[in-house]
Amino acid sequence: LRADSAVWTGRLILEPYAHRAYDPATGQCYRVPKVKDRARYVRAPVWTGHEYIVWSGSWGDSSIPYPDGLIYRPPRKALTGELAKPVGKKLQGAITTRREWGFETDPDVVREIMRDPYQPGSREHGFPMTEAEQRDLWTRASFVGRASEAKRWLRKQPLFGGIWLDQRTGGDIVVALTEADPDLITDIDRHFTPYGETPWRLVIVPRTLDELRSAFRQARKVSREIDPTATLWSVGLDESAGRISLMYDPDDVGRMRARKKELEKALGVPVHITSGRIRLDQ
């Protein structure tokens, strides 16, 4: 988007001269009708809440301003964020997956990548990517492998709350602690140093990984005690969300969601309840 003509509508960043709008909540760009105007250099745009008003400006290096202006009224849907997504299901799925890995998500860019007939990374990982993006994934995986010793050391620390790779930021290592102990932070830096400059960042969490693991081990027993008839298909541990996930049979999920607070009180950790019929923890 061009800063000299982009405006914030309260929901979207609107750029009429480029006939597009950007939704920060979803990361999507949308097409909007283009402003029918002459080329203005250093124009003066204002957003009133309903209209985009432009005046003045000059042509090229000329110091003579245009003596006119215009009023652009974007479609109602452009102001409410109700624009239909200009992508099909296949493209939308590709965009969603690429966002999770921190790759470019502009629909026009992704369309071009999907047209490339030779995409070794796409076949290997299941979503469209360029060869440069595939090499980026190899770099991330390599770093994770080289940092395994530091990760084993971290898991022995009493304040340790978890460690994961944040793909959305290009593979940053995220270390979770229950408190920001200066000595422990210094030790973390020291353990990562042998692997070069390490893009790690700290987050503070309310409970340790040991507490989450204890709840994970007790989940089936607690579930049976609360409702012996509910079929619990699988139990998962989500370090980045600081919770455990319980997958119940679709016939039982509504009943167990109603008892979510009871489950959380008994386990001592947040619980995420999903529906399914696949047992994953055996």
Side-chain angles (χ1 to χ4, degrees):
L1 297 178
R2 290 182 54 180
D4 65 338
S5 59
V7 292
W8 173 244
T9 70
R11 169 65 187 269
L12 303 174
I13 298 175
L14 183 67
E15 222 296 32
Y17 279 85
H19 57 96
R20 63 184 175 184
Y22 173 70
D23 187 349
T26 64
Q28 298 299 304
C29 281
Y30 303 94
R31 295 294 181 186
V32 297
K34 191 174 183 178
V35 167
K36 296 179 180 179
D37 186 28
R38 67 185 72 189
R40 296 173 186 263
Y41 182 71
V42 193
R43 53 186 172 262
V46 169
W47 175 251
T48 69
H50 301 282
E51 299 171 330
Y52 185 82
I53 301 176
V54 184
W55 73 95
S56 191
S58 59
W59 173 260
D61 295 329
S62 171
S63 60
I64 302 175
Y66 285 136
D68 62 355
L70 64 91
I71 295 177
Y72 171 76
R73 296 182 177 90
R76 182 187 64 84
K77 291 182 179 180
L79 308 183
T80 61
E82 297 170 0
L83 287 163
K85 293 183 178 179
V87 296
K89 288 184 179 180
K90 186 175 181 180
L91 178 57
Q92 183 59 53
I95 289 172
T96 299
T97 306
R98 287 174 58 82
R99 182 181 301 112
E100 294 173 355
W101 289 84
F103 293 145
E104 171 66 60
T105 58
D106 181 272
D108 291 335
V109 174
V110 181
R111 283 191 185 97
E112 289 302 314
I113 296 174
M114 293 178 72
R115 291 192 186 104
D116 185 353
Y118 179 66
Q119 297 175 37
S122 300
R123 291 193 292 271
E124 180 180 348
H125 297 279
F127 65 95
M129 69 179 74
T130 65
E131 291 187 59
E133 289 168 342
Q134 184 187 32
R135 288 194 295 270
D136 177 44
L137 286 186
W138 286 340
T139 301
R140 301 184 199 184
S142 174
F143 171 77
V144 172
R146 287 185 286 116
S148 59
E149 182 179 346
K151 290 162 65 178
R152 285 194 295 270
W153 168 79
L154 266 169
R155 290 192 172 98
K156 300 176 183 178
Q157 307 307 309
L159 301 179
F160 179 62
I163 183 170
W164 59 89
L165 192 69
D166 189 346
Q167 300 289 3
R168 294 169 300 177
T169 59
D172 278 6
I173 288 288
V174 181
V175 178
L177 302 176
T178 53
E179 60 181 84
D181 182 273
D183 293 335
L184 181 54
I185 292 173
T186 300
D187 284 341
I188 294 173
D189 280 327
R190 187 179 300 117
H191 274 78
F192 277 135
T193 298
Y195 312 109
E197 184 178 351
T198 305
W200 79 277
R201 56 190 172 87
L202 173 69
V203 297
I204 303 300
V205 293
R207 56 190 56 81
T208 66
L209 184 59
D210 285 343
E211 291 176 290
L212 286 176
R213 287 175 171 168
S214 176
F216 174 86
R217 292 190 293 268
Q218 295 295 317
R220 289 192 175 279
K221 176 183 176 183
V222 169
S223 179
R224 285 194 299 268
E225 291 174 350
I226 291 177
D227 190 334
T229 64
T231 301
L232 178 59
W233 286 106
S234 69
V235 182
L237 193 157
D238 187 347
E239 290 185 32
S240 61
R243 66 187 182 187
I244 61 171
S245 297
L246 307 179
M247 180 187 289
Y248 284 96
D249 189 274
D251 294 336
D252 304 320
V253 68
R255 189 168 72 253
M256 297 311 293
R257 281 175 176 166
R259 307 189 72 171
K260 179 181 176 182
K261 290 185 178 179
E262 193 174 346
L263 284 166
E264 290 179 333
K265 182 178 180 180
L267 292 169
V269 300
V271 171
H272 178 58
I273 297 176
T274 61
S275 173
R277 296 181 183 276
I278 302 175
R279 191 157 191 160
L280 303 174
D281 56 344
Q282 284 191 335

